[in-house]
Amino acid sequence: MMQLVTIAGQFAAWWTARLAASAKNPENARLATVIFAVVSHNERRQAQKTSMSQQANAAGQPARRDLANAIRALSMDAVQAANSGHPGAPMGMADIAEVLWNDYLKHNPANPRWPDRDRFVLSNGHASMLLYSLLHLTGYDVSMDELRNFRQFGQRTAGHPEYEPEMGVETTTGPLGQGVTNAVGMALAEKMLAARFNREGFPVVDHRTWVFLGDGCLMEGISHEACSLAGTLKLGKLIAFYDDNDISIDGDVSGWFTDDTPGRFESYGWQVMRDVDGHDSAAVAAAIDAATAETGKPTLICCKTVIGYGAPNKQGSASTHGAPLGEDEVAAAREALGWDYPPFEIPSAVATAWDARERGASDEAAWAELLGAYATAHPELAKEFGRRINGELPEGWASFADAAIARIDAAGANMATRKASLVALDAFAPELPELAGGSADLTGSNLTKHADSTVVTGDDASGNYIYFGVREFGMTAICNGMALHGGIIPYSGTFLVFSDYARNALRMAALMQIQQILVYTHDSIGLGEDGPTHQPIEHVASLRLMPNMRVWRPCDTVETAVAWRDALERRDGPTSLVLTRQGVPHQPRDAEQIGSIARGGYVLRDSAGDPDAILIATGSEVALAVAAAERLAAEGIGARVVSMPCTSVFESQAAEYQDAVLPPAVSARVVVEAGATGGWWRYAGSSGEVIGIDCFGKSAPAGELFEHFGFSVDNVVDTTKSIVTK
Ligand SMILES: Cc1ncc(C[n+]2csc(CCOP(=O)(O)OP(=O)(O)O)c2C)c(N)n1
Ligand SMILES: [Mg+2]
């Protein structure tokens, strides 16, 4: 492989030098490189297409159908071996996949992380064997043994594709509708990065996002959210294939899915290719040609297919959707398809025709040449591009962030933490052009639009702020797609209560261990008059339950800035920033305390001697705990106040630190948080109390509500006194 890359590189260098010799100035030399890179990619495609159709005609060479049948055989055999899985969609989409992957997809199996590769998303993730077959056949590091062990413990060939960049799986799919939404995010990221980094003659960011999706994805509401926005933002390099097979699990979809799908997508501003025969390779290729020719609109290619194509007695029926075909039907399918080979055996002519490694290596080498010329012509841009693609924070980031937090502390401002979040954004964003996000139509409430924001539009994607519209789930899954693409740190905003709308996308970010910063404002009954529909109760507790979700509920400007910093530095998971609508006071701290905020919990205000009690609080209730501690001190009770903005980070600290903050000997503990109490008992212990709220809120001014639900100094003091034994 290396040899191949070198040869391609040498050829490019020779070609460039030849043109440069006849060129009048160095600018032409650079242009020559670019022309080589771009033209050669297209020419290779054309040449390859020709050779593929010649192959189909030449005796002994596999026809397209044979190549597609390799997918069918691998899929039905792997499902049969696992005795579980979904053979129908892989068999139905095999012909489409064959055309796309053999003639159009730009990728390099030897380097699944090549930044300018096309992205391929299998939104109908139950068709996982389709993807694994493609990865194996084209030459990714996916072995036949892994296909044989489909769905088995410890194997990467999981039931549904799980994000595994080294193996070529671009995103985790299975929850229907989210794959296509991730793809919208990927295509948006591509468009934004292209606008930022490409220069005349240097299309260093220039790839497509391809999606396979089925009826299920289109029935899911999130597909509306995402595809509608994709049309508005004119994501012309997004191309989706609809597996229009009339079947979902319950049978023929005519009883529950009668939309005019083409009309629907046309109304979104998409180009739609109607009634394409998904088993006619030439028709599929023609549709793709039309799709790639349209650069101002995303394209939906509606492919009529037969689910389970090739299984003579079961094709076209829901029985092929999610169960093994059975030994007899597998044998009958072999017969019908003319596939004479044993399970997991690919004849060498078929294997050779599928192998994409040479082509991939030379495509990447051509791009590397282009990048090299770009680096000469635009050294600063190239450096910045490299930094962003590698996901590195800028040089000097740590001292910059320290200084910003010190400034925010020195200002000592009293304000709502949602406002403090904007202050933090204003401080950090100018250093971080990769930070891009927006709000689901609550920009003025979430305060997500910092001073350095410029809006991304369909005609100009060079900005960093996205008006997502009222689409919480879509926004969150689009941001996942942007994170997966790379080069962008996405953030998104809405009211905390609507995190429920987005919940499965949060879960996917946590599961995939990808970065996204969720700005959740209006975090409790403290929002007041909008009432119980808008007042989160169980939300903070339930976000904390999600594995790998980090939840910060800061109490003032300084904790908010530290939380933002932590979220920006955390590359391997999502972070929820839970912020107040109402004002909260700045808390004085020394330098050591400021340093301890990042440990998730720390002593904010200590008792004069050994503590008689510990008050643990978060967010807007920290000031209440401090006031209660002062009153208790006046009454001779020493109460330590522990601010606990992030329980999971605190729990990851060494036991000595945790014990120093919460000495095990002090069992009189009161936790105060204006939310569900369930998660706090591990801190309060059996001798402690939790002041929280386990019922829905009410519509009234916030002050009255806090009083009504027990968030008052009197109640905290009385509760503490009731458990202190002194
Ligand atoms: C959000 C979500 N709901 C339900 C499911 C369970 N499920 C998996 S596939 C499927 C039907 C999908 O139908 P279609 O996309 O037409 O797939 P086909 O049967 O054509 O392969 C359902 C309901 C799921 N994976 N995700
Ligand atoms: Mg279907």
Side-chain angles (χ1 to χ4, degrees):
M1 192 54 57
M2 273 318 294
Q3 199 188 359
L4 215 132
V5 173
T6 316
I7 292 167
Q10 281 169 355
F11 176 66
W14 167 79
W15 182 254
T16 307
R18 214 172 67 111
L19 287 183
S22 65
K24 292 195 179 56
N25 62 47
E27 189 52 39
N28 286 354
R30 282 198 288 274
L31 211 63
T33 308
V34 177
I35 290 167
F36 167 75
V38 176
V39 171
S40 64
H41 180 77
N42 293 339
E43 278 175 353
R44 271 196 302 277
R45 280 298 158 281
Q46 280 310 326
Q48 216 216 335
K49 274 197 246 178
T50 317
S51 83
M52 190 67 84
S53 49
Q54 280 164 354
Q55 273 176 23
N57 294 331
Q61 294 295 318
R64 281 199 175 283
R65 181 50 58 75
D66 294 328
L67 300 183
N69 285 345
I71 297 174
R72 294 191 168 96
L74 288 172
S75 299
M76 68 182 184
D77 289 335
V79 170
Q80 198 62 39
N83 200 25
S84 80
H86 303 77
M91 296 177 81
M93 294 196 86
D95 296 305
I96 305 167
E98 189 278 316
V99 174
L100 174 64
W101 280 63
N102 278 327
D103 284 7
Y104 293 91
L105 192 74
K106 180 173 82 166
H107 66 134
N108 179 9
N111 182 12
R113 286 190 188 263
W114 171 26
D116 202 39
R117 70 190 181 279
D118 285 355
R119 303 318 196 250
F120 176 80
V121 175
L122 185 75
S123 194
N124 46 350
H126 55 278
S128 56
M129 265 314 299
L130 175 65
L131 180 57
Y132 302 144
S133 302
L134 288 164
L135 294 173
H136 171 79
L137 289 166
T138 53
Y140 284 79
D141 178 23
V142 176
S143 69
M144 192 61 96
D145 263 354
E146 287 180 282
L147 302 190
R148 254 188 220 106
N149 290 302
F150 177 49
R151 294 184 155 231
Q152 304 309 305
F153 189 83
Q155 301 290 317
R156 298 182 304 169
T157 41
H160 292 84
E162 295 178 12
Y163 173 50
E164 184 59 72
E166 294 307 330
M167 142 188 198
V169 178
E170 301 279 5
T171 178
T172 298
T173 51
L176 296 171
Q178 280 192 75
V180 59
T181 308
N182 294 163
V184 169
M186 292 174 186
L188 177 56
E190 193 269 355
K191 187 166 173 164
M192 290 168 67
L193 290 167
R196 170 81 184 87
F197 288 104
N198 288 353
R199 289 294 179 272
E200 187 69 34
F202 293 100
V204 290
V205 182
D206 185 14
H207 50 269
R208 297 200 162 83
T209 304
W210 308 90
V211 194
F212 278 13
L213 51 80
D215 300 295
C217 289
L218 293 180
M219 281 187 258
E220 288 291 351
I222 190 175
S223 69
H224 166 71
E225 298 184 17
C227 296
S228 155
L229 190 60
T232 301
L233 293 179
K234 302 184 182 170
L235 302 182
K237 285 158 135 181
L238 175 65
I239 302 172
F241 297 82
Y242 166 29
D243 184 29
D244 183 6
N245 61 13
D246 296 325
I247 293 289
S248 65
I249 290 180
D250 282 351
D252 188 318
V253 299
S254 59
W256 48 90
F257 185 44
T258 57
D259 297 5
D260 169 10
T261 296
R264 173 185 160 197
F265 276 74
E266 277 162 2
S267 81
Y268 294 156
W270 287 50
Q271 170 181 231
V272 178
M273 317 303 299
R274 292 167 183 252
D275 298 320
V276 175
D277 179 347
H279 300 296
D280 176 345
S281 306
V284 171
I288 298 177
D289 287 336
T292 54
E294 169 61 71
T295 55
K297 295 174 173 185
T299 296
L300 181 71
I301 303 177
C302 299
C303 297
K304 270 282 165 210
T305 65
V306 177
I307 191 169
Y309 185 96
N313 307 301
K314 292 194 167 180
Q315 65 178 24
S317 90
S319 65
T320 66
H321 164 92
L325 297 178
E327 297 291 354
D328 292 349
E329 185 68 0
V330 166
R334 273 200 154 63
E335 183 80 28
L337 294 169
W339 187 262
D340 300 331
Y341 318 99
F344 305 109
E345 213 178 284
I346 303 294
S348 65
V350 172
T352 305
W354 267 108
D355 193 336
R357 285 176 290 189
E358 272 191 36
R359 170 159 66 86
S362 75
D363 281 353
E364 182 172 348
W367 178 80
E369 286 288 327
L370 173 69
L371 193 66
Y374 176 71
T376 309
H378 303 285
E380 284 306 312
L381 267 182
K383 196 167 156 224
E384 176 72 355
F385 178 66
R387 179 185 79 75
R388 286 182 56 175
I389 287 301
N390 292 329
E392 292 156 5
L393 288 166
E395 247 168 69
W397 162 256
S399 48
F400 173 86
D402 284 345
I405 290 166
R407 262 196 331 271
I408 286 167
D409 179 51
N414 303 328
M415 63 175 70
T417 53
R418 64 178 169 140
K419 185 89 195 299
S421 168
L422 182 59
V423 169
L425 263 172
D426 279 337
F428 294 139
E431 271 302 281
L432 297 172
E434 60 267 53
L435 187 61
S439 161
D441 205 40
L442 287 169
T443 294
S445 298
N446 302 144
L447 301 176
T448 36
K449 193 160 179 255
H450 56 80
D452 245 33
S453 301
T454 47
V455 175
V456 173
T457 68
D459 295 321
D460 181 0
S462 63
N464 56 1
Y465 195 79
I466 299 145
Y467 285 119
F468 284 104
V470 192
R471 301 180 175 99
E472 295 80 10
F473 191 12
M475 167 177 72
T476 312
I478 286 171
C479 286
N480 283 346
M482 292 203 282
L484 289 161
H485 180 280
I488 285 177
I489 299 178
Y491 71 97
S492 58
T494 185
F495 289 150
L496 175 61
V497 81
F498 301 130
S499 61
D500 283 347
Y501 271 54
R503 190 166 177 96
N504 204 264
L506 301 177
R507 187 168 192 274
M508 297 304 282
L511 178 63
M512 288 191 271
Q513 302 185 7
I514 57 172
Q515 186 173 26
Q516 178 173 173
I517 303 168
L518 295 313
V519 178
Y520 287 141
T521 69
H522 297 60
D523 71 346
S524 75
I525 52 166
L527 65 85
E529 294 85 345
D530 274 339
T533 54
H534 284 53
Q535 292 164 355
I537 299 294
E538 73 281 22
H539 298 75
V540 178
S542 78
L543 286 171
R544 287 190 188 120
L545 286 176
M546 192 179 283
N548 199 34
M549 168 60 74
R550 201 173 274 185
V551 183
W552 286 91
R553 187 168 187 256
C555 75
D556 69 354
T557 51
V558 183
E559 284 192 3
T560 305
V562 172
W564 255 107
R565 178 188 184 165
D566 184 75
L568 289 165
E569 293 177 359
R570 182 180 191 223
R571 309 299 301 201
D572 61 356
T575 302
S576 294
L577 303 176
V578 173
L579 306 165
T580 66
R581 170 182 185 252
Q582 74 280 16
V584 288
H586 171 261
Q587 299 292 340
R589 302 172 182 83
D590 62 24
E592 194 190 329
Q593 285 173 309
I594 291 180
S596 297
I597 296 172
R599 307 182 83 160
Y602 63 100
V603 179
L604 176 66
R605 180 199 187 281
D606 213 352
S607 51
D610 286 344
D612 302 311
I614 302 174
L615 306 181
I616 303 169
T618 77
S620 48
E621 286 65 71
V622 168
L624 180 61
V626 169
E630 276 161 16
R631 176 96 68 76
L632 286 162
E635 297 185 29
I637 296 172
R640 164 180 287 190
V641 176
V642 170
S643 179
M644 185 72 75
C646 184
T647 53
S648 61
V649 168
F650 180 71
E651 285 155 22
S652 71
Q653 303 300 311
E656 300 81 63
Y657 178 77
Q658 295 189 43
D659 288 350
V661 174
L662 300 173
V666 185
S667 60
R669 299 173 177 196
V670 177
V671 181
V672 197
E673 184 177 73
T677 58
W680 282 114
W681 289 101
R682 68 195 294 187
Y683 287 93
S686 53
S687 320
E689 286 290 348
V690 180
I691 300 175
I693 168 166
D694 288 314
C695 57
F696 292 115
K698 286 183 186 307
S699 173
E704 274 176 56
L705 291 175
F706 274 121
E707 200 62 40
H708 172 81
F709 287 107
F711 300 97
S712 63
V713 175
D714 284 349
N715 189 38
V716 178
V717 167
D718 291 348
T719 305
T720 309
K721 285 189 341 203
S722 74
I723 56 170
V724 169
T725 46
K726 205 174 175 188

